[in-house]
Amino acid sequence: MPGGGIGAAPALAEKLGKLGLVRGDDLVLHLPLRYEDETRCFAIAEAPPGEPVQVEARVVDVAVQFRPRRQLVARVRDAAGDELALRFLNFYGSQTKQLEGARDDGRPLRLFGEIRQGFLGPEMVHPRYRVVDAAAPLPTALTPVYPTTAGVSQTALRKLIGAALADADLGEPFAADAGWLERHGLAGFADAVRYLHHPPPGAPLAALQSRDHPAWRRIKFDEALAQQLSLRRAFLARRERGAPVLAAAGELGRQLLGRLPFALTGAQRRVVAEIERDLVQPFPMQRLLQGDVGSGKTIVAALAACRAIEAGWQAAFMAPTEILAEQHYLKLKSWLEPLGVRVAWLSGSLKSAAKKAMQAEAAAGAQLVVGTHALIQDAVDFARLGLAIVDEQHRFGVQQRLALRRKGSGAVPHQLMMSATPIPRTLAMSYYADLDVSVLDELPPGRTPVKTKLIADARRDEVIAAVRAAVAEGRQAYWVCPLIEESEKLQLQTALETHAVLSEELAGLSVGLVHGRLKADEKAATMAAFAAGKIDVLVATTVIEVGVDVPNASLMVIEHAERFGLSQLHQLRGRVGRGAHESVCALLYSGPLSEMARARLKIVFENTDGFAIAREDLRLRGPGEFIGSRQSGVPLLRYADLEADADLVELARGMAERLLADDPAGVARHLERWLGSREELLKA
Ligand code: ADP
Ligand code: MG
């Protein structure tokens, strides 16, 4: 029954569905969490304490006790004559009867649990047990324990999985010769799943549980291979679709560069060249531009837009927040309008008449349209979209990014995604395997590194004094309010309170406030006043986290830094150190900190490199959280670990390339086995 249903009753099937178990193949790949050793019985006196063990013993006494609380207590005795108490705090009347029955007819119990030294001698609390016939044979193999959910017993799972193993096609999905497998420490597929589900008699527990075993390595390799195949296939499928060839002499870009007060860094020049090579291809660019905070991604994007515009196409530039989008709009307009480029602005907060006008403008062919996710709304129709740029791409969901690409009329636009949240190599290799990646690994010259200080909030006075000192020197400061993720209302209240308190503590200075609930024009006015130096201290929520660029600000204070994500702290810190002045980032924390919180703040304190921070963050939190639910759309790895199994992911990547080139049937078989119906969803 390859890929077929699993023949469970509807109620059970529904519960299995929640575990992702729909087809025989799903069951085959539903691997044990751990094993229990029921192949031997210990004498009570010899069982190692505190470890799961099996014991065979006969019931000598059964009683329901009421002190200290109602419980069923049975005493059992093994062949050597040693006794053990069994305690059940939750029990059914039928259980009492069953144990009494065993006491009366002398049939032994096989008990599984941990023996502890209780008040009255050794005891097991809530052991798993079965009444057996005397001399019933012991299992010869270890017993698998599966991940499960309420209402699906281990016994039921074992039975279903056993049947699936017998029915499913366990053939090799691709031609892999035994030598190759062995060289890489991989078992054959059928051997691997049979071994892991039904360990052979005598298989040592340690070897089985070690995920270095060739059986486990094979599973992890296959899983990574499915992920690579699915990503690479999507990537190649996109190449099939035509994109506008954005060939231009490059005059517009040269003019822009000529007017800038700075020259591009080597890294910027390299990345611009990488992008320009893509733009003249007849298939859409899918490029992720990674560059640490302040590495100068905006000008790179502007130069790409110049190419599209000069070739007679439109470019769209989407940013995740209103503040950031508006800032980009103002900057791009100041760069490009003098060169005769029509730049339009589109945000959700525009009044409807203005919005209609802008939508018409986008349709009629403004050459560059900058905005928030308002750009991807249905009412916006681009006449000739040639390039879609997404800033801070990790802040958007997959669907939103795809939606912008669909705005091309006919041709698929080229896509440039930018992110300052660097993706560690192992993640880039798997979750982002469908993208080409460019990296800005050089900061513009003349920056003084930001000094980071960890300060207990009991020393707030010193921080206030530092703010005054900075302002006295003509600088400006950000003061970021504590993050309250659970409640937007509380977050707002905190921002208002922080602003009120600081206005008093910093009497005589001009203290501004921005938060997510302000109207867009209020936000914009405040940001403009801050940029113009009319506000000394800007109290802000994380709305300023991304992209905001005010070079005169030299002090960043973050309250309750322990509540923020590490990359978020790094982003916030990147708001200062943008000018020539010595800048400071003060991370205020309220103690005592947990060990984890301390370790996390230390990472930000010790590292100035966003890549290093992201790597450490990944190590502490694991990839699932790092990527976040927003990025889902890529099959997550259940078994392989990106860090520990980097060699397997790498190997899988090579194999994926090879299979896609020479073995389409193998590709289809493998994807069907691992992703089955989910594959369809992923393509959408
Ligand atoms: P990010 O990569 O964080 O988006 P930005 O594009 O906002 O960085 O650039 C940060 C600042 O550096 C901006 O003020 C920008 O004008 C400036 N900048 C960009 N490239 C250079 C360069 N090559 N030399 C000097 N300053 C630069
Ligand atoms: Mg930016």
Side-chain angles (χ1 to χ4, degrees), residues 24 30 54 100 115 121 157 233 254 267 274 277 288 291 299 320 350 386 400 414-415 431 656 670:
H30 192 67
Q54 183 170 246
E100 282 167 352
I115 297 185
L157 269 178
R233 207 167 63 162
R254 269 193 291 280
E274 285 166 1
R277 256 198 311 278
L288 174 65
I299 182 66
L350 285 175
Q400 289 172 303
H414 297 276
Q415 198 170 26
Y431 291 91
H670 193 67

Side-chain angles (χ1 to χ4, degrees), residues 359-371:
Q359 286 165 350
E361 177 80 353
Q367 290 157 298
L368 175 61
V369 185
V370 184

Side-chain angles (χ1 to χ4, degrees), residues 60-403:
V60 291
D61 183 38
V62 181
V64 175
Q65 293 183 356
F66 291 90
R67 247 173 274 177
R69 54 179 278 200
R70 185 168 177 272
Q71 52 185 297
L72 173 63
V73 181
R75 298 196 64 75
V76 297
R77 186 181 299 152
D78 70 6
D82 290 306
E83 287 195 2
L84 179 67
L86 315 180
R87 242 174 241 292
F88 300 90
L89 299 174
N90 302 306
F91 61 97
Y92 297 107
S94 58
Q95 227 173 334
T96 315
K97 290 222 174 61
Q98 183 191 31
L99 290 174
E100 282 167 352
R103 177 195 60 198
D104 296 343
D105 64 19
R107 291 169 77 209
L109 302 187
R110 291 241 168 99
L111 297 150
F112 198 91
E114 290 171 19
I115 297 185
R116 297 229 178 81
Q117 217 39 54
F119 189 58
L120 296 171
E123 64 176 28
M124 270 189 189
V125 178
H126 281 251
R128 198 151 54 66
Y129 70 90
R130 265 182 315 141
V131 183
V132 295
D133 291 326
L138 288 166
T140 52
L142 296 173
T143 311
V145 179
Y146 292 103
T148 189
T149 184
V152 183
S153 70
Q154 291 292 330
T155 321
L157 269 178
R158 280 179 206 137
K159 239 164 78 194
L160 287 163
I161 289 170
L165 276 174
D167 285 349
D169 172 6
L170 304 182
E172 288 294 342
F174 49 83
D177 67 280
W180 185 86
L181 289 173
E182 198 174 328
R183 238 187 351 273
H184 291 104
L186 303 170
F189 179 74
D191 290 346
V193 286
R194 289 204 190 102
Y195 184 88
L196 294 174
H197 284 296
H198 295 151
L205 201 57
L208 260 170
Q209 263 154 4
S210 134
R211 300 232 161 166
D212 283 338
H213 189 279
W216 265 124
R217 281 179 58 83
R218 175 57 196 266
I219 296 301
K220 294 190 288 190
F221 170 78
D222 276 21
E223 180 183 45
L225 178 61
Q227 190 196 45
Q228 292 293 320
L229 285 173
S230 140
L231 287 165
R232 288 303 294 176
R233 207 167 63 162
F235 178 80
L236 294 173
R238 282 203 291 274
R239 296 212 151 187
E240 301 289 300
R241 284 182 272 168
V245 174
L246 302 179
E251 194 44 45
L252 193 56
R254 269 193 291 280
Q255 285 177 16
L256 170 57
L257 285 175
R259 294 170 43 92
L260 289 178
F262 54 77
L264 296 185
T265 63
Q268 285 170 320
R269 281 203 303 276
R270 190 190 68 234
V271 169
V272 167
E274 285 166 1
I275 293 171
E276 288 176 351
R277 256 198 311 278
D278 285 356
L279 295 181
V280 295
Q281 302 294 329
F283 48 81
M285 169 170 81
Q286 285 292 307
R287 191 168 281 280
L288 174 65
L289 169 55
Q290 295 192 343
D292 206 344
V293 183
S295 60
K297 295 183 289 293
T298 319
I299 182 66
V300 171
L303 288 167
C306 283
R307 282 279 154 152
I309 293 164
E310 193 180 345
W313 291 76
Q314 294 174 289
F317 193 127
M318 180 163 79
T321 67
E322 193 109 1
I323 287 183
L324 183 56
E326 172 144 45
Q327 183 185 300
H328 279 320
Y329 168 64
L330 295 173
K331 177 162 258 172
L332 292 164
K333 195 161 86 151
S334 76
W335 280 347
L336 295 171
E337 263 187 4
L339 305 177
V341 173
R342 275 159 63 208
V343 184
W345 160 246
L346 194 59
S347 92
S349 65
L350 285 175
K351 299 254 158 44
S352 76
K355 198 188 285 180
K356 283 226 175 69
M358 278 305 167
Q359 286 165 350
E361 177 80 353
Q367 290 157 298
L368 175 61
V369 185
V370 184
T372 57
H373 50 262
L375 284 181
I376 52 180
Q377 270 148 23
D378 286 342
V380 185
D381 288 310
F382 290 90
R384 272 169 75 75
L385 186 59
L387 172 67
I389 300 165
V390 181
D391 195 19
E392 306 294 343
Q393 64 94 23
H394 60 287
R395 303 281 298 250
F396 290 100
V398 185
Q399 290 313 323
Q400 289 172 303
R401 293 191 318 236
L402 293 180

Side-chain angles (χ1 to χ4, degrees), residues 655-679:
M655 175 65 94
E657 292 289 339
R658 214 200 77 203
L659 291 180
L660 284 165
D662 339 318
D663 186 4
V667 170
R669 265 197 307 279
H670 193 67
L671 286 175
E672 173 62 26
R673 174 179 284 161
W674 278 88
L675 301 173
S677 45
R678 272 182 295 167
E679 243 299 276

